[in-house]
Amino acid sequence: MIKSAAVLPLSRDASSRFLPWLIAFMVWLATLALAAVMVLSAAGEQWRRGLTGSVTVQIVPTGGAGSPSMQRRVEMALSVLRASPQVVSAAPIPADKVAALLEPWIGTAALSDSLKLPIPSLIDVTLAISTNGTAPDTNSLGKRIAAEIPGATLDNHGRWLDRLLSLACAIEIIAFAVLGLISLAAMATIIFATRTGLAIHHDVIEILHLMGAQDDYVARQFEFNALWLGLKGGATGVVIAMATLLALGSIAGKIEAGLLPPISMAPAQWVALVSVGAATVVICLVTARITVLRTLGRMP
Amino acid sequence: MREGSDVVRFQNVGMRYEMRREILHDVSLRLKAGSFHLLTGESGAGKSSLLRLMYLGRRPSRGLITLFGHDIATTPRRELPALRRRVGVIFQDFRLVDHLSAMENVALPLRVAGASEQQIQKHVPELLRWVGLEEHINSRPSILSGGQKQRVAIARAVIARPQLLLADEPTGNVDNKIAARLMHLLEELNKIGTTIIVATHNQALVSAFSYPRLHLEDGELSALAPIGQQGANTPNQAPTEKNKAPAREAGSNSDYIGGAS
């Protein structure tokens, strides 16, 4: 029995040996880039959800000469906040909790009784969220707090959240650009390999052409080869990328850093990552076909 | 194709490779179905180029080519493969596919035409037996002798039952005995209606087989009567001015040469 696929021995070409590894490397990079996009996107959303609708009022220990006591100023701030229609709830954060928040920066010694550094009082404020999910404007409330309570400021986290989200957005754009570049690189690689195959097997292709083979017949042989190489490279790349992500997730899980985005992903996201390999196979297939048809189109 | 109708028609065809000088000038000819012609001329006269135009391996630089009634210049590219399948070619250097066996090589035209595996398994071994290669069905070209390769090339050229068979110096690599055997084989194919053109510069062959000749000299085609009917040529003698007729004078309708005699 003769196998038609053997008419062009493409699997014996040198490119068939190195191409799957090259594809695997690109798929690995692309999968990691897509995972970065997913993780950052989820983290940004999480930060936004967590901080939208909450503000913090900070009252520093020194309110100025003749200013009321810290306890009094906290009570004054609470009464102003609770009277505002924009505020749903306002509660002072206990001193030991504030101390715990400061401990990573100033250490335990600074908080000990011997040094007894003055620490600010904090009030956690929850704002009323409108039906469309936007938080109220806190500018006027902030001005009023600052004017009525000595040493008090209202922090709506917007400044550092905006910077963080801008950074996350920039990283997402870069990751998308990397994905695009990898796709282009994969196409260029396949075009190069296909053209090399066309040159190596030019004599056989010419004979087939003169025998009356349709361009499609020759293109199919290259497509099958590209499909097989793409499958091998794609599967290898996805498997290595999954292992990398699981390892990163495990390492990140051990680091107790609150700002580090979680590397765990939903099942749909894992499917999306696997689809990078499938997309690469499609890119290989289509690129090989177009390259062959364009080249054969120049034959008489 | 109906008996007597034109299989190939050339009108003022010129051909050049890239920007070099023209290798064929104003070639006009008409070959009728079922005819047998010898294409003669010295090496470099343009025989292979003329055949290349006929099997659609090149486009002419100018002029009109009609194959099986289709004007090649206006036939859509997607329809050309179907025309090529009606033409069998025996190349001078055989052009067998080295990594395929004799069986696989001969099966190629059927395969590209979309024949079933069953048809291939039935017809290819049968044809290889006919050309005396039943013991070499699974042999690759690299281990076959020149004569055996040639027979594989012939089998490959005729397996799809072409209406036009072009043989480019088919006897160039074999001795006279095998050459004569090959010619008899081609005669058999001609008897069943295949139009045949054999390009050769083997004068012994031209003398031994009395067929109308198309003679190329410096890219110009002329019609020569079969040697046996002239009485002027000896087997190894080139056509003389006396028996050589310009193309436009030789044909029955004054413009073209060739056609069933």
Side-chain angles (χ1 to χ4, degrees):
Chain A
M1 187 69 67
I2 311 161
K3 289 177 184 171
S4 60
V7 173
L8 290 174
L10 298 169
S11 58
R12 293 188 217 157
D13 294 352
S15 60
S16 295
R17 286 194 292 277
F18 74 77
L19 211 56
W21 290 108
L22 212 55
I23 292 169
F25 177 65
M26 287 189 275
V27 168
W28 177 73
L29 279 179
T31 309
L32 291 187
L34 186 63
V37 169
M38 288 173 173
V39 167
L40 284 172
S41 176
E45 188 53 37
Q46 191 178 310
W47 292 328
R48 198 180 289 114
R49 230 188 358 253
L51 294 175
T52 302
S54 79
V55 293
T56 307
V57 171
Q58 180 182 244
I59 303 164
V60 294
T62 309
S67 69
S69 69
M70 175 65 90
Q71 180 66 30
R72 175 71 192 129
R73 282 186 288 148
V74 168
E75 282 167 8
M76 284 164 68
L78 284 171
S79 68
V80 169
L81 290 167
R82 284 167 184 163
S84 168
Q86 296 174 324
V87 175
V88 172
S89 67
I93 299 172
D96 55 337
K97 228 175 174 181
V98 175
L101 285 170
L102 291 172
E103 194 186 304
W105 282 271
I106 60 177
T108 48
L111 297 166
S112 64
D113 287 341
S114 57
L115 283 173
K116 203 148 188 162
L117 279 178
I119 59 170
S121 291
L122 300 175
I123 300 171
D124 185 25
V125 183
T126 306
L127 300 171
I129 302 291
S130 66
T131 48
N132 60 11
T134 55
D137 182 12
T138 54
N139 276 345
S140 57
L141 184 64
K143 281 176 188 166
R144 201 178 147 202
I145 291 277
E148 292 182 17
I149 298 112
T153 52
L154 185 141
D155 179 8
N156 63 4
H157 319 299
R159 199 172 52 184
W160 74 268
L161 179 63
D162 284 348
R163 284 180 187 170
L164 203 60
L165 290 178
S166 298
L167 177 68
C169 183
I171 295 173
E172 277 180 51
I173 289 169
I174 290 168
F176 271 123
V178 167
L179 266 177
L181 286 173
I182 289 170
S183 303
L184 289 176
M187 283 182 203
T189 308
I190 294 296
I191 289 171
F192 175 75
T194 306
R195 282 190 181 164
T196 306
L198 285 165
I200 291 171
H201 303 291
H202 177 265
D203 288 350
V204 182
I205 291 167
E206 192 182 24
I207 282 289
L208 293 172
H209 181 71
L210 295 176
M211 281 175 183
Q214 294 280 5
D215 292 350
D216 218 39
Y217 177 85
V218 178
R220 268 202 306 276
Q221 312 240 350
F222 279 88
E223 277 178 68
F224 280 130
N225 188 53
L227 174 73
W228 176 236
L229 298 180
L231 273 175
K232 279 202 286 190
T236 309
V238 165
V239 167
I240 297 173
M242 294 295 165
T244 308
L245 287 172
L246 288 173
L248 282 176
S250 167
I251 293 166
K254 288 173 189 164
I255 302 169
E256 289 178 5
L259 287 176
L260 208 66
I263 299 193
S264 61
M265 279 178 288
Q269 287 178 311
W270 286 110
V271 171
L273 292 180
V274 171
S275 72
V276 172
T280 308
V281 174
V282 174
I283 287 175
C284 290
L285 203 73
V286 174
T287 308
R289 179 177 178 78
I290 292 170
T291 308
V292 173
L293 291 180
R294 282 174 67 104
T295 308
L296 295 183
R298 288 194 282 270
M299 290 177 93
Chain B
M1 171 88 24
R2 147 183 121 253
E3 183 71 24
S5 58
D6 290 341
V7 170
V8 181
R9 191 175 164 195
F10 278 41
Q11 260 181 290
N12 303 316
V13 169
M15 181 191 166
R16 67 171 79 237
Y17 291 100
E18 282 83 45
M19 296 307 289
R20 279 177 269 177
R21 71 177 182 84
E22 217 173 44
I23 199 157
L24 295 172
H25 323 290
D26 291 316
V27 172
S28 293
L29 64 86
R30 178 184 279 172
L31 299 179
K32 299 221 181 297
S35 61
F36 194 128
H37 286 85
L38 297 176
L39 177 60
T40 58
E42 294 299 313
S43 292
K47 300 191 294 293
S48 296
S49 297
L50 185 66
L51 294 184
R52 196 166 287 139
L53 289 175
M54 288 184 189
Y55 61 72
L56 307 183
R58 291 282 300 202
R59 295 268 179 159
S61 310
R62 60 189 173 87
L64 175 80
I65 295 179
T66 309
L67 194 62
F68 306 111
H70 296 266
D71 176 2
I72 297 309
T74 57
T75 303
R77 192 176 179 279
R78 65 178 180 282
E79 290 176 18
L80 294 179
L83 291 182
R84 288 193 180 99
R85 280 180 221 145
R86 295 164 74 178
V87 183
V89 188
I90 303 167
F91 296 98
Q92 188 173 4
D93 53 356
F94 312 133
R95 299 185 73 172
L96 299 177
V97 181
D98 286 338
H99 67 274
L100 298 181
S101 67
M103 164 95 183
E104 290 164 335
N105 264 289
V106 176
L108 278 180
L110 294 179
R111 208 173 284 289
V112 299
S116 69
E117 201 59 41
Q118 198 183 359
Q119 284 177 301
I120 289 168
Q121 296 297 331
K122 184 185 170 204
H123 295 301
V124 176
E126 198 177 284
L127 187 58
L128 281 169
R129 266 194 295 279
W130 186 64
V131 295
L133 286 175
E134 62 270 30
E135 289 173 9
H136 296 281
I137 278 180
N138 295 314
S139 302
R140 292 197 177 184
S142 56
I143 62 161
L144 297 177
S145 69
Q148 287 168 332
K149 282 182 193 170
Q150 186 191 49
R151 279 180 278 164
V152 174
I154 293 165
R156 190 180 67 180
V158 303
I159 184 75
R161 297 186 184 175
Q163 290 166 287
L164 172 64
L165 182 63
L166 308 173
D168 190 2
E169 300 282 2
T171 58
N173 297 296
V174 292
D175 58 38
N176 285 343
K177 191 180 161 193
I178 295 178
R181 195 177 153 192
L182 165 72
M183 287 301 286
H184 288 305
L185 204 106
L186 295 178
E187 282 180 321
E188 291 299 311
L189 290 166
N190 181 239
K191 279 178 193 164
I192 57 169
T194 310
T195 307
I196 292 176
I197 300 177
V198 179
T200 183
H201 63 261
N202 182 340
Q203 284 301 320
L205 195 80
V206 173
S207 307
F209 292 87
S210 180
Y211 287 108
R213 287 175 291 156
L214 306 174
H215 187 74
L216 269 170
E217 196 169 314
D218 293 331
E220 296 200 1
L221 189 74
S222 53
L224 299 178
I227 279 184
Q229 293 174 19
Q230 294 171 326
N233 286 0
T234 56
N236 292 311
Q237 185 184 359
T240 60
E241 290 304 318
K242 186 182 167 189
N243 62 37
K244 195 159 71 176
R248 59 188 74 251
E249 290 171 14
S252 57
N253 59 2
S254 79
D255 275 339
Y256 305 117
I257 61 172
S261 47

